[in-house]
């Protein structure tokens, strides 16, 4: 495969990942790492480095469109970014230790179990287009965990408020740690933190996750660059493809029902969870 052909293949794969990552709030990196490492033969450390760059591109492309749609809640996202950034720093610094002691299999198994454990929760919540209102707690008022947006699929204005900010913060630290550790945006945990822990609508969770993963990935990518895990050629092709896909995915979000996004999200949780388990057990 010539360099031009490889660049095109990387860009196309990245564009598809960007669409899926934008719709689900996972970030394109979640799909790119296994594609690059398993099917294109790119070493895992370079695949992870490129995926962090793709996450930044996904965030930039999706957030620019979602801000216009007024779905993303920047206030809530910024209040949770402290935890994800700290987690990303700790996770990125752990990478060298993990690789040198060959403990990455344990991380994959644990991460796979965490993802699969959330499938039941998502299937149960998929029965409802919008989450059932929960009684506001102390964090609802202090951190202004509320907002509204126009839902084109439902043809109405949706008002919402969040709860349990402290639980969301704990999950966000874990998400940041996994992001730095595996070189992914860890949007799955971010979405779960806002959707399950804070009881926010799925569209708000996914779009706000897309906003947050860029900041988290930017923190981790700087450390990956120091370690030499980011190759400019791979990162450039990845960023171009993911950015195009993310913009297209963001334009589709207002037209898709929350329940359908949740089903896509759940299916990806299953695939990723099994994939992580198999990789941790040396079978994938």
């Amino acid at each position: 495969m010539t360099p031009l052909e490889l660049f095109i293949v990387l860009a196309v794969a990245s564009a598809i990942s960007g669409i899926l990552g934008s719709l689900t709030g996972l970030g394109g990196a979640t799909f790119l790492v296994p594609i690059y490492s398993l099917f294109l033969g790119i070493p895992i450390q370079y695949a992870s480095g490129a995926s962090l760059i793709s996450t930044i591109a996904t965030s930039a492309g999706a957030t620019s469109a979602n801000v216009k749609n007024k779905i993303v809640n920047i206030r809530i996202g910024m209040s949770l970014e402290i935890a994800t950034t700290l987690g990303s720093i700790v996770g990125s610094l752990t990478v060298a230790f993990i690789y040198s002691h060959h403990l990455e299999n344990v991380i994959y198994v644990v991460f796979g179990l965490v993802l699969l454990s959330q499938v039941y929760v998502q299937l149960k919540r998929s029965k409802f287009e919008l989450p059932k209102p929960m009684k506001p707690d102390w964090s609802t008022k202090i951190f202004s965990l509320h907002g509204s947006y126009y839902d084109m699929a439902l043809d109405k204005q949706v008002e919402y408020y969040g709860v349990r900010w402290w639980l969301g913060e704990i999950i966000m630290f874990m998400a940041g740690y996994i992001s730095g550790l595996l070189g992914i945006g860890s949007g799955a945990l971010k979405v779960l933190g806002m959707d399950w822990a804070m009881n926010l609508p799925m569209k708000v969770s996914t779009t706000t996750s897309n906003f947050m993963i860029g900041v988290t990935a930017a923190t981790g990518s700087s450390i990956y660059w120091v370690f030499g895990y980011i190759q400019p050629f791979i990162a450039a092709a990845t960023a171009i493809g993911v950015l195009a896909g993310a913009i297209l995915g963001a334009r589709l979000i207002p037209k898709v029902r929350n329940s359908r996004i949740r089903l896509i999200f759940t299916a990806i949780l299953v695939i990723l969870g099994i994939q992580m388990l198999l990789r941790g057990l040396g079978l994938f």
Side-chain angles (χ1 to χ4, degrees), residues 165-177:
W165 177 86
W166 58 272
L167 182 56
E169 199 79 355
I170 293 175
I171 296 177
M172 293 304 162
F173 179 84
M174 295 171 58
Y177 183 81

Side-chain angles (χ1 to χ4, degrees), residues 48-202:
S48 298
S51 72
L52 282 176
I53 300 300
S54 79
T55 300
I56 299 174
T58 300
S59 178
T63 301
S64 62
N66 289 327
V67 167
K68 294 180 181 179
N69 296 330
K70 298 182 179 180
I71 301 178
V72 59
N73 194 311
I74 296 179
R75 182 176 61 252
I76 292 179
M78 290 301 295
S79 72
L80 298 171
E81 275 294 357
I82 297 176
T84 60
T85 301
L86 290 176
S88 179
I89 293 173
V90 176
S92 298
L93 292 175
T94 307
V95 166
F97 178 86
I98 292 294
Y99 283 135
S100 63
H101 290 78
H102 306 289
L103 298 175
E104 59 268 24
N105 287 352
V106 176
I107 299 299
Y108 284 128
V109 170
V110 173
F111 190 35
L113 291 174
V114 170
L115 292 180
L116 291 176
S117 68
Q118 295 300 319
V119 172
Y120 171 74
V121 176
Q122 292 303 311
L123 289 176
K124 185 176 181 180
R125 292 172 68 88
S126 65
K127 299 177 182 178
F128 308 99
E129 181 63 24
L130 296 173
K132 290 185 176 181
M134 296 180 64
K135 185 177 180 180
D137 59 11
W138 60 270
S139 64
T140 304
K141 183 176 181 180
I142 292 178
F143 297 102
S144 299
L145 305 179
H146 58 79
S148 65
Y149 68 94
Y150 178 73
D151 195 311
M152 294 177 62
L154 299 178
D155 192 24
K156 70 175 184 178
Q157 190 75 15
V158 176
E159 296 186 2
Y160 62 89
Y161 60 84
V163 297
R164 298 185 298 199
W165 177 86
W166 58 272
L167 182 56
E169 199 79 355
I170 293 175
I171 296 177
M172 293 304 162
F173 179 84
M174 295 171 58
Y177 183 81
I178 293 297
S179 174
L181 194 65
L182 301 181
I184 63 177
S186 67
L189 288 178
K190 288 184 176 70
V191 173
L192 289 173
M194 288 179 279
D195 172 56
W196 171 71
M198 300 178 67
N199 203 46
L200 298 175
M202 194 62 177

Side-chain angles (χ1 to χ4, degrees), residues 19 71 240:
I19 294 173
I71 301 178
I240 292 173

